[in-house]
Amino acid sequence: MFRKLVAIEPISLIPSAVEKLHSFAKEVIMHEDIPADNHEICKRIGNADAVLLSYTTTLTKEVLQQCKHLKYIGMCCSLYSPESANVDIDYANKQGITVTGIRDYGDEGVIEYVISELVRCLHGFGTNPDGTQANPWNGIPEEITGLNCGIVGLGKLGGMIADALTFFGANIQYFARSEKEEASKKGYQFVALNDLLDKSDVVICALNKNTVLLHQEEFEKLGTHKILFNVGLSPAWDEQPFEEWINDRQNICFCDSLGALGNESLLTHPNIRCMNVSSGMTRQAFIRLSEKVIQNLSEYNG
């Protein structure tokens, strides 16, 4: 059992999970706002030997150096790699601090978001940001059937999106660090990034946080009259070439969150559809998140 466990920022746990936290520590403190700076982070951690945090607070080496009692850091958010994490995992591990994270808790909602927005775009359902009636993407209502879709990043989320699009009859090609055997068995075509951008009607970026693959050359290959989705936690592109590309009225970009879009000034851009919410954070996702946070704590205490 820990001596003191502190959630240094709001954590999206269901009530039963919050109650369960008290079985892991003699003292549990839950903060309900985001710390303003590193000084406040260190103050909240104090002499705690266990910490929980979400994705909005960063534990740097400088912070960890001041928190001498820490034994455990529970990331209540996605952990894909040390490089993309909001915790200096390499330094923490060198100090004997265990860092855990979770994966695959909000994917289902993101998939529904992609399918929903794509269907609305192809059919012309709903209204434009200015309140006018939307028009079908190609002038006449279309199905997903036969649509050429390119997935950039075929991890768990990218693979699930590909499977969902396949159910509706889309043609799938993908770019990843390496060819995926299971994807090939499903008939998904592994192609170079520029070929994917050139030949896809719809491009969906499902990359790890802080991974940027779309630069000037890539947007030139992407061309015009294309639909671009970004479902990652940060922009998949360099800002300047993206803004040049999105200024072409024949292009449209969908992002669920501001984090995925990157630039708040683009929220009102006529060719951008950003709801400024996390589509993956559903009631079911909160339950999965809570269960995995508790499981990580249980496994650490063994």
Side-chain angles (χ1 to χ4, degrees):
M1 175 178 283
F2 296 114
R3 182 183 67 258
K4 183 178 180 180
L5 185 152
V6 178
I8 59 176
E9 64 176 332
I11 306 296
S12 302
L13 302 179
I14 59 176
S16 61
V18 174
E19 183 178 345
K20 181 70 173 177
L21 292 179
H22 291 270
S23 67
F24 296 104
K26 294 179 180 178
E27 181 183 6
V28 176
I29 298 175
M30 306 290 289
H31 288 278
E32 299 299 328
D33 61 342
I34 298 171
D37 50 32
N38 284 350
H39 174 75
E40 180 63 23
I41 294 172
C42 293
K43 181 180 177 182
R44 292 186 181 188
I45 295 175
N47 64 350
D49 49 350
V51 162
L52 299 180
L53 76 160
S54 189
Y55 61 90
T56 50
T57 295
T58 300
L59 293 186
T60 63
K61 175 182 177 180
E62 291 69 29
V63 168
L64 296 177
Q65 285 175 330
Q66 299 178 58
C67 302
K68 303 297 185 180
H69 300 278
L70 274 181
K71 298 177 181 178
Y72 178 86
I73 299 172
M75 294 174 57
C76 305
C77 56
S78 298
L79 172 55
Y80 294 104
S81 67
E83 296 76 20
S84 64
N86 54 314
V87 174
D88 191 330
I89 294 177
D90 291 337
Y91 179 79
N93 289 341
K94 290 176 182 177
Q95 302 307 306
I97 303 170
T98 297
V99 182
T100 63
I102 57 177
R103 299 182 66 169
D104 310 330
Y105 63 94
D107 294 342
E108 288 79 0
V110 177
I111 297 160
E112 292 181 356
Y113 160 74
V114 171
I115 296 299
S116 172
E117 292 299 279
L118 184 56
V119 168
R120 289 171 61 85
C121 182
L122 294 176
H123 283 259
F125 294 153
T127 59
N128 296 312
D130 62 2
T132 60
Q133 176 61 44
N135 294 314
W137 178 244
N138 280 320
I140 184 173
E142 292 183 318
E143 306 165 2
I144 294 176
T145 305
L147 193 66
N148 294 320
C149 296
I151 311 295
V152 181
L154 204 75
K156 178 69 179 298
L157 176 57
M160 292 174 71
I161 293 172
D163 292 345
L165 290 168
T166 298
F167 175 81
F168 287 100
N171 304 314
I172 302 296
Q173 53 185 352
Y174 72 95
F175 172 80
R177 285 190 293 265
S178 61
E179 188 170 4
K180 312 288 185 181
E181 182 178 352
E182 287 302 313
S184 298
K185 291 179 180 178
K186 294 177 181 178
Y188 304 161
Q189 186 180 8
F190 177 59
V191 297
L193 178 58
N194 282 348
D195 288 339
L196 179 149
L197 297 171
D198 179 44
K199 298 175 182 178
S200 297
D201 304 306
V202 179
V203 173
I204 301 165
C205 296
L207 298 168
N208 289 347
K209 187 177 181 181
N210 299 326
T211 301
V212 176
L213 293 184
L214 304 187
H215 310 288
Q216 184 68 47
E217 178 183 350
E218 284 71 28
F219 278 106
E220 290 174 0
K221 287 293 184 180
L222 183 58
T224 61
H225 197 63
K226 296 292 183 71
I227 301 171
L228 176 64
F229 279 84
N230 183 34
V231 295
L233 297 176
S234 61
W237 48 70
D238 288 333
E239 186 171 326
Q240 182 175 346
F242 170 71
E243 291 192 20
E244 292 174 359
W245 179 84
I246 199 61
N247 282 335
D248 187 324
R249 61 186 180 86
Q250 296 185 74
N251 299 322
I252 190 169
C253 177
F254 291 90
C255 301
D256 61 342
S257 68
L258 178 57
L261 179 60
N263 188 338
E264 187 173 3
S265 67
L266 294 175
L267 284 172
T268 57
H269 194 289
N271 300 337
I272 288 177
R273 305 290 184 271
C274 180
M275 301 185 301
N276 199 16
V277 299
S278 177
S279 60
M281 296 313 297
T282 61
R283 177 179 62 82
Q284 294 90 338
F286 289 133
I287 294 173
R288 289 189 289 265
L289 168 68
S290 299
E291 291 174 344
K292 293 186 177 190
V293 169
I294 296 300
Q295 180 181 350
N296 285 342
L297 282 163
S298 299
E299 292 175 353
Y300 177 80
N301 279 285

